Amino acid sequence: MKRVGNLWPRLVRFENLLAAASQAQRGKRFRRAVARFNFRLEPELLRLQEELAAKTYRPGAFRTFQIYEPKVRTISAAPYRDRVVHHALTRVLEPIFERSFIFDSYACRRHKGTHAAVDRCQQFARKYRYVLKADIRKFFPSVDHEILLVLVARKIKDRDVLWLTRVLVEHSGEQEPVLDWFPGDDLFTPTERARGLPIGNQTSQFFGNVYLDPLDHFVKEELRLAGYVRYVDDFVLFSDDKAELHFARESIKRFLGGLRLRLHPRKSEIFPVGQGIRFLGYRVFPSHRLLARENVWRFLRRVRRIQRDFTAGHISPADIRARLMSWAGHARHANTFCLRTRLSKAIVFSRGGGR
């Protein structure tokens, strides 16, 4: 495998940092930290450039908080200047790794995304009789740092880029503890190996694809199963033969052990596609698709919070419209015309707090 070098000059070039800053601020331009950075944009980028060139750059402290929907997760938000560095790195690395990523990996890739993944899932559901629906237990907290760095170094030989990659990976901060033992481990191995990537970082999303790329190629090239779709750590695998899927599940379990990962014991099921496949917020059937019920309930809870904010004068009608249209856009990718019509008639906002 040919490794790529001479990337560092491109990474630290001012034009790359400027483009990275433009990407990092999308949807966040009016936040205080972003506005403060942009107010002194050129000096800030020049300082970052100097720190990177001199190898004195060190990431700042994360802002950590929890979200509770769709499940409880710890989010670690990096300082804005670090997010600029994340984008600068991935702008250089992504085109190199993109060449070897399989077509049916859909997370955080250009012209992909959740809706394209669901479309592909339904395409396979129309072609095959059975599906293996699975996900990886505590994926981001379980990512092993040394394994990840080896996977990056298989394609990258630029020492400076590998230095920055290691700095960012090792600065992942305290993540949810995961204690799993694998063949060859002694009693203390799980506590000695650094692991975990912060959910929400640009680099974490990219590194997640790098980490699971070997799994994608194993399924496609070793198991030779064409009906496969992965989005981050959720994946579906299709076949007309149930026994083939049972064999595939056991083979994938063993393969993931080499990456120090485990399939979720309760979320790895094999069943007929006609039962509907719960995937990325939808229930996918061969003939149609629906929104997952919990998705609708989360939307209704969000509406109640928006109503309270509107009553208190914290948000404007334009803000409400943007938030509702975002959900409606998601819902339109399922057979939800009647649901959306019913909700649009039932949901009313007023300064008096009525609904």
Side-chain angles (χ1 to χ4, degrees):
M1 181 184 299
K2 186 177 180 180
R3 299 165 70 216
V4 181
N6 197 31
L7 298 171
W8 189 245
R10 193 190 319 168
L11 193 153
V12 300
R13 190 177 298 148
F14 185 85
E15 290 78 8
N16 185 52
L17 296 176
L18 182 62
S22 178
Q23 290 178 332
Q25 69 176 302
R26 286 177 185 168
K28 308 177 182 71
R29 195 163 47 130
F30 298 107
R31 293 185 182 179
R32 183 176 300 176
V34 180
R36 188 164 51 242
F37 189 94
N38 285 343
F39 184 72
R40 301 184 67 257
L41 181 61
E42 185 173 346
E44 290 285 0
L45 293 180
L46 287 172
R47 186 159 68 94
L48 264 181
Q49 187 181 45
E50 291 171 2
E51 290 178 12
L52 289 169
K55 306 292 191 305
T56 57
Y57 166 77
R58 294 295 180 272
F62 289 108
R63 179 175 62 88
T64 301
F65 57 94
Q66 284 192 321
I67 61 172
Y68 298 91
E69 292 181 351
K71 60 183 178 182
V72 178
R73 290 186 298 175
T74 299
I75 305 296
S76 299
Y80 179 68
R81 76 190 303 265
D82 292 337
R83 295 203 292 271
V84 173
V85 176
H86 297 170
H87 280 274
L89 176 64
T90 55
R91 279 175 53 82
V92 170
L93 293 185
E94 273 182 341
I96 297 168
F97 283 86
E98 183 68 28
R99 299 171 202 152
S100 66
F101 288 163
I102 67 166
F103 178 84
D104 285 316
S105 163
Y106 285 85
C108 309
R109 295 175 66 194
R110 190 172 298 179
H111 307 306
K112 300 287 185 175
T114 56
H115 297 140
V118 172
D119 289 344
R120 187 67 159 162
C121 175
Q122 188 170 50
Q123 180 182 340
F124 286 133
R126 290 168 175 164
K127 185 176 179 181
Y128 297 97
R129 296 172 58 199
Y130 299 103
V131 61
L132 163 61
K133 168 71 175 71
D135 72 15
I136 296 170
R137 176 179 172 269
K138 296 184 177 180
F139 171 60
F140 281 108
S142 300
V143 170
D144 186 278
H145 290 184
E146 285 305 317
I147 292 176
L148 173 59
L149 293 169
V150 167
L151 290 172
V152 174
R154 284 182 183 176
K155 290 187 182 297
I156 306 300
K157 64 180 179 181
D158 188 307
R159 292 183 180 180
D160 296 324
V161 172
L162 293 176
W163 164 81
L164 179 59
T165 301
R166 180 174 287 276
V167 167
L168 294 177
V169 169
E170 291 181 347
H171 189 73
S172 293
E174 189 69 25
Q175 303 300 313
E176 181 182 357
V178 180
L179 288 178
D180 280 326
W181 281 262
F182 296 90
D185 287 358
D186 61 29
L187 180 63
F188 301 103
T189 300
T191 62
E192 293 170 346
R193 296 186 70 95
R195 61 194 175 279
L197 294 177
I199 296 174
N201 277 8
Q202 167 76 11
T203 46
S204 298
Q205 297 167 3
F206 168 68
F207 288 145
N209 277 339
V210 172
Y211 204 84
L212 290 180
D213 185 54
L215 170 66
D216 297 340
H217 286 276
F218 174 74
V219 171
K220 290 286 200 176
E221 296 160 16
E222 299 295 327
L223 298 181
R224 296 186 176 277
L225 292 170
Y228 170 73
V229 181
R230 180 178 65 80
Y231 189 93
V232 193
D233 59 321
D234 288 337
F235 63 90
V236 283
L237 193 54
F238 295 84
S239 176
D240 286 325
D241 185 349
K242 252 184 162 181
E244 185 175 46
L245 291 180
H246 281 287
F247 175 80
R249 180 168 60 184
E250 295 308 309
S251 300
I252 288 170
K253 282 182 182 178
R254 290 192 295 272
F255 185 85
L256 287 175
L259 296 173
R260 302 190 67 81
L261 298 172
R262 294 197 188 282
L263 285 181
H264 197 293
R266 297 192 310 276
K267 297 181 181 179
S268 300
E269 303 174 296
I270 298 168
F271 52 89
V273 297
Q275 292 183 10
I277 307 162
R278 300 172 70 87
F279 189 51
L280 304 180
Y282 297 93
R283 289 185 66 202
V284 181
F285 297 84
S287 58
H288 65 287
R289 68 182 76 156
L290 304 173
L291 281 181
R293 183 174 299 178
E294 61 269 21
N295 189 302
V296 179
W297 286 118
R298 280 199 303 273
F299 171 68
L300 292 175
R301 287 196 294 271
R302 194 177 309 138
V303 166
R304 288 194 286 271
R305 289 196 296 270
I306 294 172
Q307 174 65 65
R308 289 195 296 269
D309 288 343
F310 182 64
T311 301
H314 297 320
I315 58 175
S316 68
D319 293 328
I320 293 174
R321 177 177 174 80
R323 297 183 192 188
L324 297 185
M325 290 303 292
S326 174
W327 183 83
H330 177 72
R332 284 193 185 97
H333 286 267
N335 300 82
T336 58
F337 177 79
C338 293
L339 171 66
R340 286 182 284 118
T341 301
R342 189 166 67 249
L343 290 178
S344 67
K345 292 178 179 178
I347 296 171
V348 178
F349 292 90
S350 71
R351 290 295 186 190
R355 177 176 182 271

